[in-house]
């Protein structure tokens, strides 16, 4: 799913409650997160809920491709992880850094409905993914 598909899906939903349910459904659809990856090193700091992100690199024709796995112990946050991974996983480091993920969250009507704590957690997740992308570019 790319950003435009995601935006189109959310535009079909009329109100915040429908969007909220859709976010939770996206989180439920995430593949199981390996128990062995639930480590302090993979934990995202700055989130009120527990969030884990793992990055794997693959060489692709357009450069290094980053693939992410993630999970959270909170349903809505797990859904936010799913949206974030849909926007970033399987893309090159350059593409990730060029994507304004927070603008997409605003466009689909999610950012404005998050509590300040969840907004801060979302920013922490985005920064963690951008950090992975910057590290991949620095090592290339």
């Amino acid at each position: 799913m790319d950003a435009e598909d995601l935006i189109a899906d959310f535009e079909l939903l009329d109100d915040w409650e429908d969007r909220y349910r859709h976010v939770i459904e996206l989180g439920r659809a995430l593949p199981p997160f390996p128990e062995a990856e639930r480590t302090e090193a993979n934990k995202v700091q700055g989130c009120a809920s527990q969030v884990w992100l793992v990055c794997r690199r693959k060489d692709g024709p357009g450069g290094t491709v980053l693939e992410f796995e993630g999970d959270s112990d909170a349903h809505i946050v797990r859904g936010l992880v799913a949206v974030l991974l849909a926007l970033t996983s399987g893309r090159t480091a350059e593409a990730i850094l060029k994507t304004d993920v927070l603008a997409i969250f605003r466009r689909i009507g999610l950012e404005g409905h998050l509590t300040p704590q969840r907004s801060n957690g979302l920013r922490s997740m985005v920064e963690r993914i951008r950090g992975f992308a910057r590290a991949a570019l620095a090592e290339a």
Side-chain angles (χ1 to χ4, degrees), residues 45-111:
Q45 302 305 314
C47 295
S49 303
Q50 294 189 86
V51 177
W52 299 271
L53 286 174
V54 176
C55 177
R56 291 179 178 70
R57 299 178 192 182
K58 286 180 18 178
D59 290 329
T64 301
V65 173
L66 304 181
E67 294 183 351
F68 298 99
E69 288 181 89
D71 198 11
S72 176
D73 63 346
H75 293 297
I76 187 67
V77 178
R78 191 168 203 257
L80 297 174
V81 169
V83 172
L84 186 56
L85 297 186
L87 295 171
T88 58
S89 190
R91 291 173 174 64
T92 63
E94 294 91 350
I96 291 168
L97 292 172
K98 288 179 183 175
T99 301
D100 187 347
V101 172
L102 295 177
I104 295 169
F105 270 80
R106 281 189 296 277
R107 186 166 169 200
I108 61 178
L110 291 180
E111 191 183 49

